[in-house]
Amino acid sequence: MIAIVESRADRASEHICRQLRERADWTELTDDDLPAADGGGTYYRTDGAELRSFDELHIDLERPADAFDCDPDLLVFASRHSGDTGALLTGHFTGNFGPAEFGGESDALAEAAPNALNRLLEAFDEYAPERYDVGMECTHHGPSEVGCPSLFAELGSGDEQWDDPAGADAVARAILELRTVNPHRSRQVVGFGGNHYAPRFGRVVRETAWAVGHVAADWALEAMDHPTTHRAVLERAFEASNADIALLDGEWPVLEETLADLDCRIVSETWLREVDDRPLAVVDAVESELGAVDDGIRFGDRLAESVTVIGLPADLVSTAQGIDPDRVREIVAANTVAFATDNGGSRVGSRAAVPDTTVDSETGDDTDSSDRRTAIIAKLAGVLEKKYDAVTIEDDAVVAEETAFDPALAHQVGVPEGPKFGALADGESVTVDGETVSPERVTIERTRRFPT
């Protein structure tokens, strides 16, 4: 059940709520126990939502959830957005990491609804009129105590948009989408740093399985002043976001030290992207046994909380990647829980983590780490067949044989470097001083061994 707050002091809020009342089948009710200014009087109820109106601006309301009969799981402030940002639909959480200049209490944060914000932005993307941008903002202004998880759903950024029926309707439709959404999900982070419109955290919300709770932008951190003297509001950010992981935008060494003392985990955007929706127990096992994601570890397709680290034959991997790098990555990923990479993650390395024991889906037999390594080697040998004439697998090596053009032999029979070299390399005969030189005269048998 969601509670929706309309402010009579905010005409964009009134326009959004007018569209809300037109979009759903509402029952009009009366509450004589509360003044009309404080959410009483006429209010509205529909499937999964209750809508009440207040005289004050949203930022000045404290514990508005108490006015609702529906015991809401989520409260949504239908609000205007003000700024020099043009036509914009945006969402954010409320509270103050430092002094309270616009409602709420200083160093106090309302309970966030990270999963609901994710869904709100998805709905904004779906319903926004063509001329509107969609974004999220950092945590700012009041109220700092709502009574349940909450967020602002805003129409901005000036008079033209506040009076725009299409923009108001888009916000109304997005709010109604939240009726079946849990405020939280299993993986959520708190954000620190960056500008007011939180581009890094917006990318995380849109492009990964992670949700973002409270965000303290650069200006909020500067207003908060020294982190060690504001541990309580930092702790509150994690509590109110139902998170124990932090993502930083920018360099904040003192903040990092303070967060480390709070026993939270600081991760990179790369870490969030690579981990995505993988079980964290699997991630912990990989980083413990194989290495850190930030050091180039990438995840494969297998899932296991108990892994064995194996070595991959470096020369074989390197040569196969020179032939078909995408296929090599596909082979290694399909058979491992994770693997090391080089060149900024672009090339497969020579170490991997595989499940301690798995069951073969075709035979039902147990497959151990040595079997998995053997399977990888066999498939890498198959990649070599694209270049070599014959490839065989021996006990200790993959052996590749080829018949190749030999420039030295071509020189010996008087073939000049240039187009005739190319023709011979392509298997065509050439004529030199009236004599025909066949490709067979200038080829050599080569054998390469790739120790395994």
Side-chain angles (χ1 to χ4, degrees), residues 45-314:
R45 181 78 67 83
T46 191
D47 183 31
E50 184 176 319
L51 168 61
R52 290 181 179 249
S53 302
F54 299 76
D55 279 356
E56 288 188 292
L57 283 171
H58 306 95
I59 64 174
D60 296 319
L61 298 174
E62 289 298 323
R63 291 197 64 86
D66 293 346
F68 289 80
D69 291 333
C70 64
D71 189 21
D73 302 294
L74 171 70
L75 186 143
V76 183
F77 296 93
S79 173
R80 73 187 180 207
H81 170 71
S82 299
D84 298 324
T85 46
L88 176 68
L89 306 183
T90 183
H92 69 87
F93 306 122
T94 63
N96 303 291
F97 279 91
E101 298 183 9
F102 301 100
E105 300 294 328
S106 298
D107 299 326
L109 301 169
E111 187 176 353
N115 188 52
L117 180 60
N118 278 41
R119 182 67 191 101
L120 180 74
L121 297 180
E122 290 175 357
F124 279 166
D125 285 334
E126 182 177 355
Y127 299 129
E130 185 175 345
R131 60 190 178 278
Y132 280 81
D133 291 325
V134 173
M136 64 178 285
E137 298 177 80
C138 68
T139 297
H140 64 294
H141 69 59
S144 53
E145 179 59 49
V146 173
C148 70
S150 65
L151 55 77
F152 267 62
E154 298 185 345
L155 170 64
S157 300
D159 290 325
E160 180 182 353
Q161 291 79 38
W162 299 339
D163 294 330
D164 177 19
D169 185 56
V171 178
R173 295 175 72 183
I175 290 173
L176 290 173
E177 292 284 327
L178 301 180
R179 287 181 291 176
T180 58
V181 174
N182 192 308
H184 297 282
R185 64 174 57 178
S186 61
R187 47 196 65 206
Q188 304 180 156
V189 303
V190 175
F192 296 96
N195 70 38
H196 183 90
Y197 292 95
R200 165 164 284 182
F201 306 105
R203 290 195 301 270
V204 169
V205 167
R206 292 176 179 280
E207 299 171 11
T208 78
W210 294 85
V212 177
H214 281 292
V215 175
D218 290 348
W219 64 263
L221 293 174
E222 292 163 1
M224 185 181 71
D225 200 23
H226 203 283
T228 56
T229 61
H230 288 76
R231 288 174 58 100
V233 72
L234 295 176
E235 290 176 336
R236 174 59 182 163
F238 291 96
E239 176 190 16
S241 303
N242 194 22
D244 56 10
I245 293 176
L247 173 63
L248 275 60
D249 188 351
E251 300 295 326
W252 301 93
V254 178
L255 175 63
E256 287 194 43
E257 292 176 7
T258 306
L259 293 177
D261 288 341
L262 296 180
D263 199 28
C264 80
R265 182 174 189 172
I266 301 173
V267 302
S268 66
E269 184 179 345
T270 296
W271 190 91
L272 294 175
R273 288 180 177 278
E274 294 299 327
V275 169
D276 204 38
D277 61 352
R278 288 176 177 81
L280 295 184
V282 173
V283 176
D284 290 342
V286 165
E287 293 204 301
S288 173
E289 298 296 329
L290 184 61
V293 169
D294 287 337
D295 291 334
I297 299 302
R298 296 295 180 261
F299 291 95
D301 300 336
R302 302 284 172 174
L303 294 177
E305 295 180 17
S306 180
V307 300
T308 297
V309 175
I310 62 172
L312 300 177

